[in-house]
Amino acid sequence: MLSNGKSLLLQVRAGGRYIPAFNIYNLETMQAALAASANAGQPVILAFGAGYRKHASFQMIYAMAKTLADSHAQEVVLHLDHCRDLSVIQEALDTGFQSVMFDGSQLPFPDNIEATQKAKTLAKAYGACVEGELGGLNSEDGDGGAEVPRYTDATAVKQFAGQTGVDSLAVSIGNVHGVYHGKPHLNFDRLADIAAQTSIPLVLHGSSGIGKPLLKQAAALGIAKINVNTEVARAGAAAAAAALQTPDGKRLDRVMLTVRDGMREVMERYFL
């Protein structure tokens, strides 16, 4: 079934665990995520980025997610990811999304608080949850590799969480979107300082390529949700390229099955 994920994230934070959120933009990405969830016997979050509306409308994505989730044994959260437009958040909520992210990380701190408060007010009417963000990563598709991430200011976390009422908070501790150039380095001292300021679940964007030992360490310090996109998307593309070199590669229906399996295999590695 679909849920807003609030009790789920609170539970895993209290237990020092995390739930993976996989970016989805079509039927096959959803099917891969739910198959991985079923094989792991654990809940999953389907993250549909605000920029993905070029792939499918909110209505299409919601209809597919609900249909699949209704027959899925594990809890499923349909989440609007990285949205900077309150009108788009309103549209997603109207459609049935029960979890949304307002990304005000590019705004000055007071403006981030004010806009995130507005997102929380919108979501409250639907019983939906809101994820906020403090600090800043590179661009969402990972192309902004030269950008210098802005670490989350731990001293601002308590004020931000208290004034906005967000249900979860995305943080910047050395994580980046896209591909890591070298070994990922997460600042666990900074994460511990952040976690000491709030009891709400913390979120780690840019988790592709971070090894499970580091993810477990992050979970022990309050990370309750990890976002994985790049590695899954690349696995799907690689599976498609390989399938095109086979006799079945002349048929899209068969290629897409191979793509779905390739994504599922990567997703399974991110469950604890």
Side-chain angles (χ1 to χ4, degrees), residues 131 168-171 175 201-205 222-227:
E131 175 183 331
S168 60
L169 180 65
V171 298
N175 45 313
L202 303 176
V203 180
L204 191 71
H205 286 252
I223 294 294
K225 170 176 171 269
I226 64 166
N227 285 34

Side-chain angles (χ1 to χ4, degrees), residues 108-114 116-117 133-134 152-166 169 193-194 196-200:
F109 183 65
D111 296 340
N112 190 0
I113 288 179
E114 180 181 1
T116 305
Q117 284 174 330
E133 181 167 356
L134 270 183
T152 300
D153 181 356
T155 63
V157 167
K158 186 175 183 178
Q159 180 184 353
F160 183 85
Q163 291 189 220
T164 62
V166 289
L169 180 65
D193 289 342
I194 293 168
Q197 300 301 313
T198 181
S199 60
I200 65 173

Side-chain angles (χ1 to χ4, degrees), residues 231-270:
E231 190 174 355
V232 174
R234 287 191 164 207
L244 290 172
Q245 305 305 313
T246 70
D248 285 345
K250 299 182 183 300
R251 293 184 57 97
L252 181 62
D253 56 339
R254 296 174 184 172
V255 170
M256 292 309 295
L257 293 178
T258 301
V259 169
R260 186 178 67 189
D261 287 343
M263 293 187 294
R264 172 190 51 77
E265 289 176 3
V266 171
M267 290 172 174
E268 287 177 351
R269 298 202 290 265
Y270 282 92

Side-chain angles (χ1 to χ4, degrees), residues 22-196:
F22 301 111
N23 287 60
I24 52 94
Y25 24 81
N26 61 9
L27 176 61
E28 285 76 19
T29 48
M30 287 191 201
Q31 289 175 323
L34 292 185
S37 165
N39 291 342
Q42 296 181 36
V44 69
I45 298 169
L46 308 179
F48 184 73
Y52 291 167
R53 288 181 296 162
K54 60 181 177 288
H55 296 277
S57 68
F58 285 147
Q59 290 79 9
M60 291 177 184
I61 291 297
Y62 176 78
M64 288 189 290
K66 186 177 187 308
T67 299
L68 293 170
D70 281 349
S71 59
H72 191 65
Q74 302 295 328
E75 187 174 346
V76 180
V77 180
L78 179 60
H79 174 72
L80 173 64
D81 198 31
H82 280 297
C83 186
R84 298 179 174 181
D85 187 330
L86 291 171
S87 67
V88 175
I89 284 180
Q90 181 69 68
E91 182 184 346
L93 293 168
D94 286 340
T95 303
F97 282 63
Q98 285 286 293
S99 178
V100 297
M101 177 190 184
F102 180 76
D103 181 358
S105 60
Q106 80 286 357
L107 299 173
F109 183 65
D111 296 340
N112 190 0
I113 288 179
E114 180 181 1
T116 305
Q117 284 174 330
K118 291 179 180 178
K120 181 64 179 178
T121 298
L122 292 176
K124 185 177 180 180
Y126 297 82
C129 290
V130 175
E131 175 183 331
E133 181 167 356
L134 270 183
L137 275 61
N138 54 332
S139 57
E140 294 155 42
D141 58 9
D143 288 341
E147 300 172 31
V148 178
R150 291 177 287 106
Y151 275 24
T152 300
D153 181 356
T155 63
V157 167
K158 186 175 183 178
Q159 180 184 353
F160 183 85
Q163 291 189 220
T164 62
V166 289
D167 302 283
S168 60
L169 180 65
V171 298
S172 175
I173 57 167
N175 45 313
V176 298
H177 291 126
V179 178
Y180 286 89
H181 301 289
K183 184 179 179 181
H185 292 284
L186 301 182
N187 188 329
F188 289 114
D189 290 338
R190 177 69 61 105
L191 179 57
D193 289 342
I194 293 168

